Short mmCIF file of all heavy atoms in Angstrom, two decimals:
data_model
loop_
_atom_site.label_atom_id
_atom_site.label_comp_id
_atom_site.label_asym_id
_atom_site.label_seq_id
_atom_site.Cartn_x
_atom_site.Cartn_y
_atom_site.Cartn_z
N GLY E 19 0.81 -1.22 0.00
CA GLY E 19 0.00 0.00 0.00
C GLY E 19 0.84 1.26 0.00
O GLY E 19 2.07 1.21 -0.16
N PRO E 20 0.22 2.41 0.20
CA PRO E 20 0.92 3.69 0.05
C PRO E 20 1.79 4.11 1.24
O PRO E 20 2.29 5.22 1.26
CB PRO E 20 -0.25 4.68 -0.13
CG PRO E 20 -1.40 4.07 0.58
CD PRO E 20 -1.23 2.58 0.43
N GLN E 21 1.98 3.24 2.20
CA GLN E 21 2.70 3.64 3.41
C GLN E 21 4.21 3.75 3.22
O GLN E 21 4.84 4.66 3.77
CB GLN E 21 2.40 2.64 4.54
CG GLN E 21 0.92 2.56 4.91
CD GLN E 21 0.31 3.94 5.16
OE1 GLN E 21 0.88 4.74 5.91
NE2 GLN E 21 -0.82 4.20 4.54
N SER E 22 4.82 2.86 2.46
CA SER E 22 6.28 2.92 2.29
C SER E 22 6.67 2.42 0.90
O SER E 22 7.30 1.37 0.75
CB SER E 22 6.98 2.07 3.36
OG SER E 22 6.47 0.74 3.35
N PRO E 23 6.31 3.15 -0.15
CA PRO E 23 6.57 2.72 -1.53
C PRO E 23 8.05 2.74 -1.88
O PRO E 23 8.82 3.56 -1.36
CB PRO E 23 5.79 3.74 -2.37
CG PRO E 23 5.73 4.96 -1.50
CD PRO E 23 5.63 4.46 -0.10
N LYS E 24 8.45 1.84 -2.79
CA LYS E 24 9.84 1.73 -3.22
C LYS E 24 10.03 2.10 -4.69
O LYS E 24 11.03 2.68 -5.07
CB LYS E 24 10.33 0.30 -3.00
CG LYS E 24 10.30 -0.18 -1.55
CD LYS E 24 11.40 0.48 -0.74
CE LYS E 24 11.54 -0.14 0.64
NZ LYS E 24 10.41 0.15 1.53
N ASN E 25 9.07 1.73 -5.52
CA ASN E 25 9.15 2.00 -6.95
C ASN E 25 8.73 3.44 -7.25
O ASN E 25 7.92 4.03 -6.53
CB ASN E 25 8.23 1.02 -7.70
CG ASN E 25 8.17 1.28 -9.18
OD1 ASN E 25 7.28 1.98 -9.66
ND2 ASN E 25 9.10 0.72 -9.93
N SER E 26 9.25 4.01 -8.33
CA SER E 26 8.96 5.41 -8.67
C SER E 26 7.47 5.69 -8.79
O SER E 26 6.95 6.66 -8.21
CB SER E 26 9.66 5.79 -9.98
OG SER E 26 11.06 5.82 -9.82
N MET E 27 6.76 4.85 -9.52
CA MET E 27 5.33 5.09 -9.71
C MET E 27 4.55 4.84 -8.42
O MET E 27 3.53 5.48 -8.17
CB MET E 27 4.80 4.21 -10.85
CG MET E 27 5.27 4.65 -12.24
SD MET E 27 4.65 6.27 -12.76
CE MET E 27 6.03 7.34 -12.34
N GLY E 28 5.04 3.93 -7.60
CA GLY E 28 4.41 3.72 -6.29
C GLY E 28 4.54 4.95 -5.41
O GLY E 28 3.61 5.34 -4.70
N LYS E 29 5.71 5.59 -5.46
CA LYS E 29 5.93 6.81 -4.68
C LYS E 29 5.01 7.93 -5.15
O LYS E 29 4.41 8.65 -4.35
CB LYS E 29 7.39 7.25 -4.80
CG LYS E 29 8.38 6.29 -4.18
CD LYS E 29 9.80 6.71 -4.51
CE LYS E 29 10.81 5.68 -4.04
NZ LYS E 29 12.20 6.04 -4.42
N VAL E 30 4.90 8.08 -6.46
CA VAL E 30 4.03 9.14 -7.01
C VAL E 30 2.57 8.87 -6.66
O VAL E 30 1.82 9.78 -6.27
CB VAL E 30 4.22 9.27 -8.53
CG1 VAL E 30 3.24 10.30 -9.10
CG2 VAL E 30 5.66 9.66 -8.87
N ALA E 31 2.17 7.61 -6.77
CA ALA E 31 0.79 7.25 -6.42
C ALA E 31 0.53 7.51 -4.94
O ALA E 31 -0.56 7.98 -4.57
CB ALA E 31 0.54 5.78 -6.75
N ALA E 32 1.51 7.23 -4.10
CA ALA E 32 1.35 7.46 -2.65
C ALA E 32 1.18 8.95 -2.35
O ALA E 32 0.36 9.34 -1.52
CB ALA E 32 2.54 6.90 -1.90
N LEU E 33 1.95 9.79 -3.03
CA LEU E 33 1.84 11.23 -2.82
C LEU E 33 0.54 11.78 -3.42
O LEU E 33 -0.06 12.71 -2.87
CB LEU E 33 3.06 11.94 -3.42
CG LEU E 33 4.36 11.69 -2.65
CD1 LEU E 33 5.57 12.15 -3.45
CD2 LEU E 33 4.33 12.39 -1.29
N ALA E 34 0.09 11.17 -4.52
CA ALA E 34 -1.23 11.55 -5.07
C ALA E 34 -2.33 11.21 -4.07
O ALA E 34 -3.32 11.95 -3.94
CB ALA E 34 -1.46 10.82 -6.40
N TYR E 35 -2.13 10.11 -3.36
CA TYR E 35 -3.11 9.71 -2.33
C TYR E 35 -3.10 10.71 -1.17
O TYR E 35 -4.16 11.03 -0.61
CB TYR E 35 -2.79 8.31 -1.83
CG TYR E 35 -3.79 7.75 -0.84
CD1 TYR E 35 -5.12 7.58 -1.20
CD2 TYR E 35 -3.40 7.40 0.45
CE1 TYR E 35 -6.05 7.08 -0.29
CE2 TYR E 35 -4.31 6.88 1.36
CZ TYR E 35 -5.63 6.73 0.99
OH TYR E 35 -6.56 6.23 1.88
N VAL E 36 -1.93 11.24 -0.83
CA VAL E 36 -1.84 12.29 0.20
C VAL E 36 -2.67 13.49 -0.22
O VAL E 36 -3.42 14.07 0.60
CB VAL E 36 -0.36 12.70 0.43
CG1 VAL E 36 -0.28 13.98 1.27
CG2 VAL E 36 0.42 11.58 1.09
N ARG E 37 -2.57 13.86 -1.50
CA ARG E 37 -3.34 15.02 -1.99
C ARG E 37 -4.85 14.71 -1.98
O ARG E 37 -5.67 15.55 -1.63
CB ARG E 37 -2.89 15.41 -3.39
CG ARG E 37 -3.47 16.76 -3.86
CD ARG E 37 -2.68 17.35 -5.00
NE ARG E 37 -3.18 18.67 -5.38
CZ ARG E 37 -2.88 19.80 -4.76
NH1 ARG E 37 -2.08 19.78 -3.71
NH2 ARG E 37 -3.37 20.95 -5.18
N TYR E 38 -5.18 13.51 -2.35
CA TYR E 38 -6.59 13.08 -2.32
C TYR E 38 -7.14 13.15 -0.89
O TYR E 38 -8.23 13.70 -0.65
CB TYR E 38 -6.69 11.65 -2.85
CG TYR E 38 -7.99 10.95 -2.51
CD1 TYR E 38 -9.16 11.21 -3.21
CD2 TYR E 38 -8.03 10.02 -1.45
CE1 TYR E 38 -10.35 10.57 -2.88
CE2 TYR E 38 -9.21 9.37 -1.12
CZ TYR E 38 -10.36 9.66 -1.84
OH TYR E 38 -11.54 9.03 -1.50
N LYS E 39 -6.39 12.64 0.07
CA LYS E 39 -6.84 12.61 1.46
C LYS E 39 -6.94 14.01 2.06
O LYS E 39 -7.69 14.23 3.03
CB LYS E 39 -5.88 11.77 2.31
CG LYS E 39 -5.92 10.27 2.00
CD LYS E 39 -7.22 9.61 2.41
CE LYS E 39 -7.31 9.40 3.90
NZ LYS E 39 -8.54 8.70 4.30
N SER E 40 -6.23 14.97 1.49
CA SER E 40 -6.26 16.33 2.03
C SER E 40 -7.46 17.13 1.50
O SER E 40 -7.56 18.33 1.76
CB SER E 40 -4.96 17.07 1.70
OG SER E 40 -4.86 17.34 0.32
N GLY E 41 -8.34 16.45 0.74
CA GLY E 41 -9.55 17.13 0.26
C GLY E 41 -9.75 17.06 -1.24
O GLY E 41 -10.32 17.99 -1.82
N ARG E 42 -9.29 15.97 -1.86
CA ARG E 42 -9.48 15.78 -3.31
C ARG E 42 -9.06 17.01 -4.10
O ARG E 42 -9.74 17.49 -5.00
CB ARG E 42 -10.94 15.43 -3.65
CG ARG E 42 -11.43 14.12 -3.11
CD ARG E 42 -12.88 13.82 -3.50
NE ARG E 42 -12.97 12.83 -4.57
CZ ARG E 42 -13.20 13.12 -5.83
NH1 ARG E 42 -13.31 14.38 -6.22
NH2 ARG E 42 -13.30 12.16 -6.74
N LYS E 43 -7.91 17.56 -3.76
CA LYS E 43 -7.45 18.81 -4.38
C LYS E 43 -7.06 18.59 -5.85
O LYS E 43 -6.51 17.55 -6.21
CB LYS E 43 -6.28 19.38 -3.60
CG LYS E 43 -6.64 19.85 -2.19
CD LYS E 43 -5.45 20.53 -1.53
CE LYS E 43 -5.82 21.08 -0.16
NZ LYS E 43 -5.84 20.04 0.87
N PRO E 44 -7.33 19.59 -6.69
CA PRO E 44 -6.99 19.47 -8.12
C PRO E 44 -5.49 19.56 -8.38
O PRO E 44 -4.75 20.18 -7.60
CB PRO E 44 -7.74 20.66 -8.74
CG PRO E 44 -7.85 21.66 -7.63
CD PRO E 44 -8.00 20.86 -6.37
N ILE E 45 -5.05 18.99 -9.49
CA ILE E 45 -3.62 18.94 -9.82
C ILE E 45 -3.45 18.48 -11.26
O ILE E 45 -4.30 17.78 -11.80
CB ILE E 45 -2.87 17.98 -8.86
CG1 ILE E 45 -1.36 18.09 -9.03
CG2 ILE E 45 -3.33 16.55 -9.06
CD1 ILE E 45 -0.75 19.36 -8.52
N ALA E 46 -2.35 18.89 -11.89
CA ALA E 46 -1.96 18.37 -13.21
C ALA E 46 -0.63 17.64 -13.07
O ALA E 46 0.33 18.19 -12.53
CB ALA E 46 -1.83 19.50 -14.22
N TYR E 47 -0.59 16.38 -13.53
CA TYR E 47 0.64 15.60 -13.57
C TYR E 47 1.11 15.58 -15.02
O TYR E 47 0.43 15.01 -15.89
CB TYR E 47 0.40 14.18 -13.07
CG TYR E 47 0.00 14.10 -11.62
CD1 TYR E 47 -1.34 13.94 -11.24
CD2 TYR E 47 0.95 14.21 -10.60
CE1 TYR E 47 -1.71 13.87 -9.91
CE2 TYR E 47 0.59 14.15 -9.26
CZ TYR E 47 -0.75 13.99 -8.92
OH TYR E 47 -1.11 13.93 -7.60
N VAL E 48 2.26 16.20 -15.28
CA VAL E 48 2.68 16.45 -16.66
C VAL E 48 4.00 15.74 -16.97
O VAL E 48 5.06 16.16 -16.52
CB VAL E 48 2.85 17.96 -16.92
CG1 VAL E 48 3.00 18.23 -18.42
CG2 VAL E 48 1.68 18.76 -16.35
N SER E 49 3.94 14.68 -17.73
CA SER E 49 5.17 14.01 -18.18
C SER E 49 5.81 14.85 -19.27
O SER E 49 5.17 15.20 -20.26
CB SER E 49 4.88 12.62 -18.72
OG SER E 49 6.04 12.09 -19.34
N LEU E 50 7.09 15.16 -19.09
CA LEU E 50 7.87 15.86 -20.11
C LEU E 50 8.93 14.95 -20.70
O LEU E 50 9.92 15.41 -21.26
CB LEU E 50 8.52 17.11 -19.50
CG LEU E 50 7.58 18.12 -18.83
CD1 LEU E 50 8.37 19.29 -18.25
CD2 LEU E 50 6.53 18.62 -19.81
N ASP E 51 8.71 13.65 -20.57
CA ASP E 51 9.68 12.70 -21.10
C ASP E 51 9.50 12.51 -22.59
O ASP E 51 8.41 12.68 -23.15
CB ASP E 51 9.57 11.37 -20.36
CG ASP E 51 10.37 11.37 -19.08
OD1 ASP E 51 11.60 11.53 -19.17
OD2 ASP E 51 9.78 11.26 -17.99
N ASN E 52 10.60 12.13 -23.22
CA ASN E 52 10.65 12.04 -24.68
C ASN E 52 10.10 10.70 -25.16
O ASN E 52 10.83 9.83 -25.61
CB ASN E 52 12.11 12.21 -25.13
CG ASN E 52 12.23 12.33 -26.63
OD1 ASN E 52 11.28 12.64 -27.32
ND2 ASN E 52 13.41 12.04 -27.14
N CYS E 53 8.78 10.54 -25.03
CA CYS E 53 8.12 9.33 -25.52
C CYS E 53 6.70 9.68 -25.94
O CYS E 53 6.09 10.61 -25.41
CB CYS E 53 8.12 8.22 -24.47
SG CYS E 53 7.47 8.67 -22.86
N SER E 54 6.17 8.94 -26.90
CA SER E 54 4.83 9.20 -27.42
C SER E 54 3.77 8.93 -26.35
O SER E 54 3.91 8.02 -25.54
CB SER E 54 4.55 8.31 -28.64
OG SER E 54 5.46 8.60 -29.67
N LYS E 55 2.74 9.77 -26.35
CA LYS E 55 1.61 9.61 -25.44
C LYS E 55 2.08 9.51 -23.99
O LYS E 55 1.61 8.69 -23.21
CB LYS E 55 0.77 8.39 -25.83
CG LYS E 55 0.23 8.45 -27.26
CD LYS E 55 -0.60 7.23 -27.62
CE LYS E 55 -1.11 7.33 -29.05
NZ LYS E 55 -1.93 6.17 -29.44
N ASN E 56 3.04 10.37 -23.64
CA ASN E 56 3.66 10.26 -22.32
C ASN E 56 2.67 10.46 -21.18
O ASN E 56 2.77 9.81 -20.14
CB ASN E 56 4.85 11.23 -22.20
CG ASN E 56 4.54 12.62 -22.71
OD1 ASN E 56 3.38 13.02 -22.81
ND2 ASN E 56 5.58 13.37 -23.03
N GLY E 57 1.70 11.36 -21.36
CA GLY E 57 0.71 11.56 -20.31
C GLY E 57 -0.14 10.32 -20.07
O GLY E 57 -0.50 10.00 -18.93
N GLU E 58 -0.42 9.61 -21.15
CA GLU E 58 -1.20 8.38 -21.05
C GLU E 58 -0.41 7.31 -20.30
O GLU E 58 -0.96 6.58 -19.47
CB GLU E 58 -1.55 7.89 -22.46
CG GLU E 58 -2.45 6.69 -22.51
CD GLU E 58 -2.81 6.33 -23.95
OE1 GLU E 58 -3.63 7.05 -24.55
OE2 GLU E 58 -2.24 5.35 -24.46
N LYS E 59 0.89 7.22 -20.57
CA LYS E 59 1.75 6.26 -19.87
C LYS E 59 1.78 6.54 -18.37
O LYS E 59 1.69 5.64 -17.55
CB LYS E 59 3.17 6.31 -20.44
CG LYS E 59 3.34 5.66 -21.80
CD LYS E 59 4.79 5.73 -22.25
CE LYS E 59 5.06 4.87 -23.48
NZ LYS E 59 4.35 5.33 -24.68
N LEU E 60 1.94 7.82 -18.03
CA LEU E 60 1.99 8.22 -16.63
C LEU E 60 0.68 7.90 -15.92
O LEU E 60 0.67 7.30 -14.84
CB LEU E 60 2.31 9.71 -16.53
CG LEU E 60 2.25 10.35 -15.14
CD1 LEU E 60 3.20 9.66 -14.18
CD2 LEU E 60 2.55 11.84 -15.23
N GLN E 61 -0.42 8.29 -16.53
CA GLN E 61 -1.73 8.04 -15.92
C GLN E 61 -2.00 6.55 -15.76
O GLN E 61 -2.45 6.09 -14.70
CB GLN E 61 -2.85 8.65 -16.78
CG GLN E 61 -4.24 8.44 -16.19
CD GLN E 61 -5.33 9.11 -17.01
OE1 GLN E 61 -5.14 9.43 -18.18
NE2 GLN E 61 -6.49 9.32 -16.41
N SER E 62 -1.68 5.77 -16.79
CA SER E 62 -1.92 4.33 -16.75
C SER E 62 -1.20 3.69 -15.57
O SER E 62 -1.77 2.85 -14.86
CB SER E 62 -1.48 3.70 -18.06
OG SER E 62 -1.59 2.30 -18.01
N SER E 63 0.05 4.09 -15.35
CA SER E 63 0.85 3.49 -14.27
C SER E 63 0.32 3.85 -12.90
O SER E 63 0.17 2.99 -12.02
CB SER E 63 2.31 3.93 -14.40
OG SER E 63 2.87 3.41 -15.58
#
């Protein structure tokens, strides 16, 4: 679970959960990596 993540995407998901728990606050997660459909890859993970 989100208590002690080790993988990069696990860490990001855990911090997204912190934001969710603080009141479902809005946010944009923006991949700037050099790959096609990068936002879709980030969201999927």
Side-chain angles (χ1 to χ4, degrees):
Q21 299 310 311
S22 54
K24 299 287 190 290
N25 176 266
S26 292
M27 289 294 97
K29 294 172 186 177
V30 176
L33 290 167
Y35 184 61
V36 168
R37 190 161 184 81
Y38 163 79
K39 291 291 285 183
S40 69
R42 295 181 103 258
K43 293 186 177 79
I45 189 70
Y47 295 100
V48 192
S49 170
L50 303 179
D51 275 298
N52 188 20
C53 53
S54 298
K55 301 180 180 180
N56 46 21
E58 185 177 286
K59 285 182 169 66
L60 173 58
Q61 181 178 19
S62 175
S63 294

